[in-house]
Amino acid sequence: MTAGVDRHELRQIIAGLSEGVILVEPDQTIAYANAAALAMHGAESLDELGPTVDAYRDRFCLRYRNNVAPNQYPIERVVAGERFHDVVVEVRRADKPEMDFVHSLRSLVATDRDGKPSCLALILKDVSDQFEAEERFERTFNANPAPAVITRLSDLRHVKVNTGFLEMTGFTRDAVIGRSVYEVDVLAGARNRDLAVARLESGGTIPQMEACLDLPDGGSRFVIVAGQPIAMGDEPCMLFTFADLELRRKAETALRQSEERFAKAFRMTPVPTVLVRADTFQVTGINEAFSRVFGHGEDRIVGRSLDEAGLWVADKQRLQVEAALDRHGYVLGVEVCLRHESGTNLDCLVSAERVTINDAEFALLVLQDITERKHTERELFDAIETVMADTSWFSRGLIEKLATLRRPGREAAEGAAPNLTVRERQILNLICSGLGDDAIARKLGLSRNTVRNHGAALYRKIGIHKRSEAVVWGRENGFPLSRPDG
């Protein structure tokens, strides 16, 4: 059989192959390319592919993706008689830069009886789709902020690592890629290391577990690690992903320290303080000052509300404080009456504010005992009222201060004053001006008894019993405190 017949039959055999085949002569002439090879170059004819190796070089730009051989095209290596396989190159047409392909190549060098090359062939496989998918995966993998490493199962060596892992650990990429899973141990200190290693060796899923990675600077990093089997091309691999526990540990430490400071301040403050749940007002903690002032120990009050423990004397005051706290989130200096464990009533100022502890809502109540201060004030008022029968010597400023002290924080009565007669208004105005009954009688040209009768009617209408209370009531209801004429 002649060589021409052999070459013709060979072309018939390779014409219908799905793989691309390019036949090259030792003199670097491209003798033949099947339809698949032409399509893989975006060419319709052998002339468009290039009649020679030099022409091919001018028309197509190649870049090796692996097995780099600088300044040599695979087709040149075939002409040189080199045998190779699994060479991956990017191919781009010089006249159409937007047209590119990725080829996986191998060479076929057949020799004659004398050992001289008789058939030189370049076998091509289009892997463009595969590499596009891998590039998308690569971009996604690198852009993912979650730390991750990919380990090849055949030799347990790391083949990919993303920026998240490098930033978390401080490793460089070169220090990870190509190292074994035991050199850069991603399962170091794993809580269930034996299970993780067994799953890794069998290619099974590794469940989430805590681990402590060794860092290149000699430190360590607490993480949660998990492993998921994946395939990269035809290569079985394990994708390790990590969740950094360091921030959580720092947050937990800061929270614990904050809670310790709060607990210490709560215990040591000299003012009675109570911690209650915001929704039920159930007491969860009291300090020593509370027990000292109100007599209740933790065993008597924790787990109950202040109302259930019997501290509130007036239910109306309790409802007002709770409603204000719920509406505004805080209460400041509200005067209330609370009951000691012995049954004694204590005058108190209540301040409260909602707080969040461990994601739960609470209210912190501060209860200031002002019983002694109120007792002193009452004694002062009693002494003042003793001499208030004749108020002529009181100055306007003193009466104003008395009105303020007598009923602190009380707002003016709503609506109009009771239906007072003209004479009663005149008498109330003169009382507020500091005149006694005799002076009022002379001022109005009335007898002393008539003034007293009008005064008694006035007291009944405005609901008071003493002259000092009339002065305060008049002050609060807009009666002037100016000196009368004369």
Side-chain angles (χ1 to χ4, degrees):
M1 185 178 292
T2 66
V5 174
D6 290 343
R7 186 59 59 86
H8 177 72
E9 290 177 349
L10 178 61
R11 292 180 181 182
Q12 286 183 319
I13 293 172
I14 65 178
L17 295 179
S18 60
E19 287 186 311
V21 180
I22 299 176
L23 298 181
V24 188
E25 300 293 350
D27 64 359
Q28 297 195 6
T29 300
I30 298 178
Y32 175 78
N34 68 354
L38 294 175
M40 291 181 198
H41 288 81
E44 295 182 359
S45 65
L46 186 61
D47 289 338
E48 191 175 353
L49 187 68
T52 65
V53 170
D54 287 339
Y56 181 89
R57 286 180 60 97
D58 292 338
R59 297 175 186 182
F60 297 94
C61 303
L62 270 65
R63 184 173 71 88
Y64 283 89
R65 295 292 296 263
N66 61 359
N67 298 327
V68 177
N71 301 321
Q72 271 197 307
Y73 274 30
I75 197 169
E76 294 175 300
R77 295 164 64 184
V78 171
V79 173
E82 181 181 345
R83 290 179 172 84
F84 55 84
H85 61 88
D86 294 333
V87 172
V88 179
V89 295
E90 293 179 8
V91 180
R92 179 170 298 165
R93 288 188 55 151
D95 58 340
K96 298 179 180 179
E98 73 282 355
M99 185 175 292
D100 55 13
F101 307 88
V102 180
H103 296 163
S104 177
L105 309 172
R106 71 180 188 273
S107 65
L108 177 63
V109 179
T111 59
D112 58 18
R113 292 183 179 86
D114 299 327
K116 296 180 180 180
S118 61
C119 180
L120 304 174
L122 185 65
I123 314 299
L124 303 85
K125 181 179 179 182
D126 189 354
V127 292
S128 301
D129 291 342
Q130 174 188 331
F131 269 79
E132 285 180 7
E134 290 183 3
E135 285 180 351
R136 288 195 298 271
F137 172 80
E138 187 87 15
R139 288 193 297 269
T140 303
F141 178 75
N142 289 327
N144 188 351
V149 173
I150 296 178
T151 304
R152 188 167 51 218
L153 293 181
S154 60
D155 57 3
L156 297 182
R157 292 190 177 276
H158 304 308
V159 293
K160 289 187 182 297
V161 59
N162 72 352
T163 304
F165 183 86
L166 301 178
E167 291 179 347
M168 180 183 73
T169 61
F171 280 105
T172 63
R173 194 175 300 275
D174 291 341
V176 177
I177 299 299
R179 301 300 181 103
S180 77
V181 74
Y182 301 109
E183 291 176 296
V184 178
D185 193 348
V186 295
L187 297 174
R191 178 166 293 182
N192 199 343
R193 182 178 174 83
D194 291 342
L195 172 65
V197 171
R199 292 287 181 87
L200 175 62
E201 292 176 347
S202 64
T205 299
I206 300 174
Q208 290 186 1
M209 61 184 68
E210 290 189 13
C212 184
L213 302 182
D214 296 324
L215 305 182
D217 62 1
S220 60
R221 194 86 173 188
F222 286 92
V223 298
I224 291 177
V225 61
Q228 179 64 41
I230 63 171
M232 292 190 60
D234 297 328
E235 193 77 54
C237 296
M238 181 70 71
L239 170 64
F240 288 102
T241 55
F242 305 83
D244 189 358
L245 293 183
E246 202 66 24
L247 294 178
R248 190 182 81 177
R249 286 172 58 84
K250 289 180 179 179
E252 289 175 348
T253 300
L255 178 61
R256 184 177 64 255
Q257 292 173 346
S258 176
E259 289 176 347
E260 289 172 354
R261 289 193 296 269
F262 170 80
K264 184 176 181 179
F266 180 79
R267 290 193 307 270
M268 299 300 294
T269 182
V271 181
T273 307
V274 184
L275 188 66
V276 302
R277 295 193 179 278
D279 53 350
T280 63
F281 288 91
Q282 183 184 64
V283 177
T284 61
I286 60 174
N287 67 350
E288 295 177 3
F290 179 89
S291 297
R292 185 180 68 251
V293 172
F294 292 94
H296 293 276
E298 286 189 348
D299 57 331
R300 297 290 302 277
I301 195 167
V302 172
R304 308 167 67 191
S305 68
L306 296 181
D307 185 39
E308 291 172 338
L311 263 76
W312 286 102
V313 173
D315 198 52
K316 181 179 179 181
Q317 291 180 343
R318 175 183 66 83
L319 294 174
Q320 288 175 340
V321 170
E322 292 179 357
L325 185 60
D326 183 61
R327 184 167 56 253
H328 303 296
Y330 69 92
V331 173
L332 185 61
V334 176
E335 190 171 317
V336 300
C337 187
L338 299 178
R339 186 180 291 111
H340 189 274
E341 185 183 29
S342 65
T344 304
N345 290 347
L346 301 177
D347 293 307
C348 298
L349 288 179
V350 175
S351 295
E353 185 162 354
R354 293 173 71 98
V355 295
T356 301
I357 302 176
N358 288 337
D359 297 327
E361 293 294 321
F362 293 85
L364 193 65
L365 281 70
V366 177
L367 313 173
Q368 184 180 359
D369 181 11
I370 59 170
T371 304
E372 290 188 9
R373 192 186 81 185
K374 294 291 289 186
H375 180 70
T376 302
E377 289 179 1
R378 292 190 187 99
E379 288 182 341
L380 174 61
F381 290 139
D382 289 343
I384 292 174
E385 288 169 353
T386 301
V387 297
M388 279 293 286
D390 182 9
T391 60
S392 59
W393 59 276
F394 278 91
S395 69
R396 172 181 176 181
L398 180 58
I399 293 174
E400 289 179 338
K401 291 180 180 178
L402 175 62
T404 302
L405 289 172
R406 192 68 177 86
R407 299 182 185 181
R410 176 175 172 178
E411 298 177 353
E414 295 181 0
N419 187 21
L420 304 180
T421 65
V422 174
R423 183 65 74 188
E424 289 166 349
R425 288 178 174 275
Q426 289 176 332
I427 291 174
L428 178 57
N429 188 63
L430 295 172
I431 290 174
C432 291
S433 299
L435 299 184
D437 289 347
D438 291 338
I440 293 173
R442 289 194 300 272
K443 181 72 176 177
L444 298 179
L446 301 174
S447 69
R448 181 184 178 87
N449 287 337
T450 300
V451 171
R452 287 183 175 178
N453 290 337
H454 283 304
L458 171 65
Y459 288 4
R460 286 194 300 273
K461 286 185 178 181
I462 63 178
I464 62 166
H465 304 283
K466 299 177 182 180
R467 194 178 194 85
S468 60
E469 294 177 352
V471 173
V472 174
W473 191 95
R475 174 70 178 82
E476 292 176 346
N477 287 276
F479 283 81
L481 293 178
S482 59
R483 287 289 187 183
D485 297 336

